[in-house]
Structure formats: structure tokens, C-alpha cells
Amino acid sequence: MKGNFPSLETERLKLREVTNGDANDLYLYLSDPEVMKHMGLQPYESAESVQDEIDWYASIYGKGTGIRWGITIKGDDRVIGSCGFLNYQSKHHRAEVGFELHKAQWGKGIAAEALQAVLKYGFEQFELERIEALIEPANTPSQRLVENQGFLREGLLRHYEYTCGKFDDLYMYSILRSDFE
């Protein structure tokens, strides 16, 4: 995962590296309680505090443990969400996928279009065999999104994460290379 950060393009979207200059754009959606509700994070309180998220994107790419693209609409370079891999395990040919999107963009098929491009990249460029998604039971829109991409729900991980002062159950979803092809 080293070297030049890859950009991805779809019919409507350009997925690109998130930079420090994108902090205000990220703050617009990462400060929204509805967007953050199922992310295990408190809403960000300032554009400066979003720098932690941007630094995390850079660190997982630098360490080779993940990659997170900023989602933009072609012709408009503002970041309206992100999608990418974390917990990349090269030995096991697997990674976890995550995503979020500005509330104003919900219901337009943007997350599905971005996720499709990221999955394709993962199977083709990272040679992944398995991509996982961990989703809170109450987050039915994200469950529908991954199910529509071919993910299967494998089970419930009880009290799997401790975030925001509580233990969270998470559904484990996965898609295999053969499911995607």
C-alpha cells in the first residue's frame, strides 16, 4: 500500500486522498450526530479536531494497514464522505471496509457506487479473498447497502466494541472474491 495514493473514478464520483485542506468538508458531516450515530465516535466539535481523522487516514496508509478515500462528486472537489479499508491482513488476504456519507447525499446511490469501486480495487489490487463489514444492529441502512453489494451476514458479535461509554454488538458481514465476481 506504499507509493502514490491511488485515485478511483466511477460514473459520477472521484475517490481521492484526503488532505489537511479537506478538514472543513469533513467537519460538515463528521459533526452531524446522525452521521456519527453508528460510527462509535462522538461528533467532532471543530474543523481542527477533524485533523485526528485525517491523520488516521494517513497513518493507516503509511503503515500498510488500510486505505481511506475521500468521496467527491466529479466536477466538485469537496469531500462528501469516505470509504476504504482498515485492519488489512495481507497474510490472510482480508480487510474490513468502512464508509460514511454526508447526510445531504443519503439515498442517491453514492455510497453504493463508492463501495462498489472500493471492493473492486480490494479484490483486484490488494488481491483480497475476503472483505468484512462490522455494522451495528440498529444501522439498517448500512446493512441494506452491504447486502445489496453481495455481503452475507455471518453472525452477531456480542459486546464486540466499547465506544462512547457503552459496549456495542456488531453484525459481521463478509463478501468473498467469488461472491463479487
Side-chain angles (χ1 to χ4, degrees), residues 12-16 18 22 24-30 35 57 69-74 76-83 99-106 108-111 114:
R12 298 181 294 167
L13 308 175
K14 181 173 182 183
L15 282 64
R16 63 162 178 85
V18 174
D22 297 314
N24 287 327
D25 294 340
L26 270 70
Y27 176 67
L28 288 176
Y29 63 87
L30 293 177
V35 172
Y57 296 168
W69 286 272
I71 301 169
T72 67
I73 295 175
K74 284 182 180 177
D76 183 351
D77 201 45
R78 289 177 298 178
V79 175
I80 57 168
S82 80
C83 186
F99 46 83
E100 80 282 326
L101 194 61
H102 190 295
K103 188 169 54 183
Q105 304 298 333
W106 291 359
K108 299 178 181 179
I110 290 171

Side-chain angles (χ1 to χ4, degrees), residues 26 41 82 91 124 126 137 146:
L26 270 70
L41 299 169
S82 80
K91 175 183 175 184
E124 292 179 359
F126 291 163
V146 299

Side-chain angles (χ1 to χ4, degrees), residues 6 52 59 61 77 85-86 95-96 138 142 148 154:
D52 290 343
S59 77
Y61 186 69
D77 201 45
F85 298 114
L86 59 152
E96 182 183 333
S142 288
N148 288 340
E154 296 182 331

Side-chain angles (χ1 to χ4, degrees), residues 118-177:
V118 166
L119 294 175
K120 184 177 193 299
Y121 189 89
F123 288 124
E124 292 179 359
Q125 302 302 315
F126 291 163
E127 299 179 354
L128 296 174
E129 175 62 21
R130 174 187 171 91
I131 298 173
E132 301 170 343
L134 297 172
I135 302 173
E136 290 183 3
N139 189 351
T140 52
S142 288
Q143 292 172 43
R144 276 194 307 273
L145 173 63
V146 299
E147 288 168 358
N148 288 340
Q149 296 287 331
F151 281 75
L152 297 177
R153 186 189 303 173
E154 296 182 331
L156 180 68
L157 304 171
R158 301 182 317 142
H159 286 203
Y160 191 73
E161 288 182 341
Y162 185 79
T163 59
C164 302
K166 64 182 179 12
F167 288 99
D168 294 320
D169 294 343
L170 295 172
Y171 283 131
M172 170 64 81
Y173 281 87
S174 75
I175 185 170
L176 303 181
R177 175 190 298 272

Side-chain angles (χ1 to χ4, degrees), residues 44-92:
Y44 284 89
E45 296 186 8
S46 69
E48 294 77 34
S49 66
V50 169
Q51 189 62 50
D52 290 343
E53 189 78 1
I54 295 170
D55 291 346
W56 180 70
Y57 296 168
S59 77
I60 63 172
Y61 186 69
K63 293 178 197 165
T65 60
I67 183 171
R68 194 78 169 207
W69 286 272
I71 301 169
T72 67
I73 295 175
K74 284 182 180 177
D76 183 351
D77 201 45
R78 289 177 298 178
V79 175
I80 57 168
S82 80
C83 186
F85 298 114
L86 59 152
N87 299 325
Y88 171 60
Q89 302 287 324
S90 61
K91 175 183 175 184
H92 301 294

